[in-house]
Amino acid sequence: MGFLNLFLNLAIVSLWLGWRGFGAMPVRRPAGTLGSNLRPIDVRKPRRWLQLVGVVGLIVGRALVYSELGSELNWVALWPTGAVTIAFRSDVFARMLLFSAISAVSAILIGYSWLLLFSRLCPLRKDPDPVSRVLRTELSPLSSWPFGLGLIVPAALTGALWFVFAPLIARFAFGPPIRSAYQLFEQAMVVGLGILPSLRFPLLLIVFLRGLSEFVYFGIHPFWTFVEQSGARLCRPFLWLRLGRLDLSSWAAFLAIWFLGRVVGFGFNDISHGLSSWGHGGADLKAPEPMAVRWLGIGIVPWLFERVSQ
């Protein structure tokens, strides 16, 4: 059921981007080129409202399926925010409808954050690669903000999603209690930061493909041009690891991104447990974990959420 929910989230994101016309906007060609002098051909606009109907239908339809099959399969629906994971019982349609809507909106916001990240990976230039050109055209003006500050928008919207639905989550799901509006605001800010751990997936994919392209030639294609340029920017701090024809910068960047993603979002429970046991002399393994290594065991963002929820 978890894989089914992931697949349906991907379908919802795809339908949403299609409804928003992603990829249909004409891309401005560089001045002085043949492409800039050609007029686009008038084509018949597709009926995008059908894709919006598909989004709503998937949200409602899967909630009905989850409520019917979830209890039979003893399945608990999980919404991982990056800061805390919320569990929903699957035996009531209202709970599953709430979960389906929140999961869909969260997936759309994460999708936009990934696209914004992709649009900023390549260096700014007058004639970027085709992939970056399309992304920057579609996501303008957020893609033109310096240092990737456009990611603030999906993070803020994710926090707003928590701020609006947290009271319902506390009532109908296994969520943390809310004691005051100020605490709810603090939780929303930390949940917004929960987008950061999810960025490790596109970053790891880019550096992995760049490292793979060092050994396998995939030909000339706009996608591989984007991978090479964006991957080179990510691997810039590790260029000193180039040993002749052997380039280890991609794999060093892969390990660094993986490590930072774990520290920010998930932590290293084994390391923190070992430090905690060593701090207590190894005598009492059930002793309370020191706060100094608590963030290392569960991740910085979950640790912050735990602190503001106390």
Side-chain angles (χ1 to χ4, degrees):
M1 293 291 287
F3 288 104
L4 175 62
N5 186 66
L6 175 61
F7 175 78
L8 293 177
N9 275 338
L10 293 176
I12 288 173
V13 173
S14 178
L15 289 172
W16 177 271
L17 293 177
W19 173 65
R20 297 298 302 167
F22 195 88
M25 183 181 298
V27 180
R28 181 178 297 177
R29 304 292 180 179
T33 62
L34 179 61
S36 63
N37 298 324
L38 296 177
R39 288 186 176 182
I41 301 176
D42 293 333
V43 295
R44 186 177 181 181
K45 295 183 179 180
R47 298 179 178 179
R48 295 179 185 169
W49 61 270
L50 292 176
Q51 295 168 326
L52 181 60
V53 173
V55 171
V56 177
L58 281 179
I59 292 175
V60 178
R62 72 175 179 178
L64 181 61
V65 173
Y66 292 166
S67 62
E68 293 293 332
L69 297 181
S71 58
E72 298 292 334
L73 300 176
N74 197 23
W75 176 67
V76 177
L78 300 177
W79 175 40
T81 66
V84 63
T85 299
I86 305 300
F88 294 80
R89 289 177 56 184
S90 57
D91 55 347
V92 179
F93 173 74
R95 290 195 183 101
M96 286 296 93
L97 184 59
L98 176 62
F99 163 76
S100 181
I102 292 177
S103 179
V105 175
S106 178
I108 291 172
L109 292 176
I110 290 176
Y112 271 108
S113 67
W114 288 16
L115 293 175
L116 283 169
L117 178 66
F118 284 141
S119 70
R120 296 294 302 180
L121 283 179
C122 286
L124 293 176
R125 56 183 66 180
K126 293 183 179 179
D127 186 17
D129 63 274
V131 176
S132 298
R133 189 185 306 124
V134 170
L135 290 175
R136 291 171 186 173
T137 300
E138 295 287 351
L139 300 173
S140 180
L142 295 181
S143 61
S144 61
W145 289 14
F147 307 109
L149 291 179
L151 291 171
I152 293 178
V153 175
L157 292 176
T158 302
L161 180 68
W162 177 267
F163 191 86
V164 172
F165 288 101
L168 292 176
I169 290 174
R171 182 177 180 180
F172 296 111
F174 298 98
I178 301 172
R179 300 181 178 88
S180 65
Y182 180 74
Q183 184 192 47
L184 179 59
F185 178 74
E186 287 182 326
Q187 290 179 351
M189 292 183 61
V190 178
V191 170
L193 293 177
I195 279 186
L196 295 178
S198 71
L199 298 179
R200 75 189 187 281
F201 294 111
L203 294 178
L204 290 174
L205 178 63
I206 290 295
V207 296
F208 173 78
L209 292 178
R210 181 181 183 272
L212 188 62
S213 65
E214 295 288 336
F215 300 95
V216 181
Y217 179 69
F218 294 98
I220 301 176
H221 191 274
F223 173 76
W224 292 109
T225 302
F226 168 77
V227 168
E228 175 60 31
Q229 294 182 2
S230 58
R233 192 176 190 184
L234 291 172
C235 299
R236 189 178 302 170
F238 305 97
L239 293 180
W240 55 276
L241 289 175
R242 288 182 175 179
L243 307 175
R245 293 186 177 181
L246 181 61
D247 187 1
L248 301 177
S249 60
S250 298
W251 309 112
F254 186 94
L255 292 176
I257 294 170
W258 175 82
F259 179 80
L260 290 176
R262 288 296 300 264
V263 169
V264 173
F266 303 96
F268 296 89
N269 186 48
D270 294 338
I271 296 178
S272 65
H273 182 72
L275 291 175
S276 177
S277 301
W278 178 76
H280 289 89
D284 186 6
L285 297 180
K286 296 183 179 180
E289 188 176 16
M291 189 62 66
V293 296
R294 176 64 175 168
W295 64 269
L296 182 60
I298 64 176
I300 296 177
V301 174
W303 175 74
L304 289 174
F305 188 87
E306 188 179 77
R307 292 296 300 274
V308 301
S309 299
Q310 291 176 355

